[in-house]
Amino acid sequence: MGAMRVSNKILDGLIKQANRELASSSAYLSMSLWFADREFPGSAKWCRTHADEERGHGLKIFDHITKRRAKGALILPQAAQKFDFENPVDVWKFALENETANSTAIQALFKQSRDEGDYTTENFMQWYLNEQLEEEAAISDILENAKRVLKTNGLYVTFDSQIVAKPH
Ligand SMILES: [Fe+2]
């Protein structure tokens, strides 16, 4: 079959995934505000940059849909996000859970593409699989550091200044 052809089921999955990336972008923006409110500019900056990256991931999927001349892409409404985190560890835990859930969704779409013989989507989604590994690893690293800071009664503010330089 032609490379551009995409089934309704896969198209629906791609649209949902694009929206998941946009929701993830909003979540990181909220985390950024939480850190900014508590005078942790390093963590706020990291989350802000990451919000931009997640938005980019969403747009990349919409561009892919457009390239295949598939119709019906749309922005879905997002649930309001209200965070009442106790401490920075809670924020990073939430971020990691969010990434794990996103990885699961990407894996499901990847499997579906493979099952349908849609190798174009499978190939496209490979980038996302790899990106999820990078993101989970980066956030796990920050989370473990944040936990250690909390356990040893260290100052998160000292660790905060190092976060900007950490990978995404
Ligand atoms: Fe992510």
Side-chain angles (χ1 to χ4, degrees):
M1 70 180 186
M4 282 170 71
R5 197 194 153 273
V6 57
S7 75
N8 286 336
K9 211 172 156 191
I10 294 284
L11 177 61
D12 182 62
L14 285 168
I15 294 168
K16 284 198 175 112
Q17 187 54 38
N19 278 277
R20 227 175 259 120
E21 302 285 346
L22 296 184
S24 187
S25 176
S26 294
Y28 280 104
L29 211 45
S30 295
M31 289 181 246
S32 177
L33 294 173
W34 188 93
F35 280 120
D37 276 358
R38 281 147 194 89
E39 312 288 340
F40 293 129
S43 303
K45 179 99 199 304
W46 194 95
C47 289
R48 170 74 164 261
T49 303
H50 204 76
D52 290 345
E53 288 194 9
E54 300 289 4
R55 181 174 181 273
H57 301 163
L59 296 184
K60 193 179 158 92
I61 297 174
F62 285 129
D63 287 346
H64 180 79
I65 292 170
T66 304
K67 187 182 274 180
R68 292 171 87 173
R69 297 287 186 275
K71 311 295 178 198
L74 79 170
I75 306 294
L76 300 168
Q78 280 181 31
Q81 293 172 330
K82 192 181 174 295
F83 295 139
D84 45 3
F85 301 119
E86 286 269 311
N87 52 51
V89 170
D90 281 354
V91 185
W92 295 114
K93 256 189 204 155
F94 171 82
L96 188 57
E97 280 163 17
N98 180 61
E99 291 305 341
T100 309
N102 198 28
S103 297
T104 304
I106 286 166
Q107 287 155 5
L109 189 50
F110 186 90
K111 185 182 184 302
Q112 199 186 330
S113 317
R114 180 167 286 190
D115 290 349
E116 285 194 22
D118 180 348
Y119 305 118
T120 304
T121 303
E122 180 182 322
N123 182 56
F124 175 70
M125 292 311 295
Q126 230 152 35
W127 183 88
Y128 286 83
L129 279 182
N130 192 52
E131 176 62 19
Q132 282 311 112
L133 174 60
E134 298 303 323
E135 292 188 19
E136 283 188 30
I139 295 165
S140 296
D141 174 62
I142 296 175
L143 174 61
E144 288 314 309
N145 275 283
K147 275 187 195 163
R148 196 172 304 148
V149 169
L150 194 74
K151 216 182 289 172
T152 59
N153 283 323
L155 288 177
Y156 186 82
V157 72
T158 312
F159 173 56
D160 181 68
S161 59
Q162 301 159 13
I163 288 187
V164 231
K166 288 195 176 283
H168 284 262

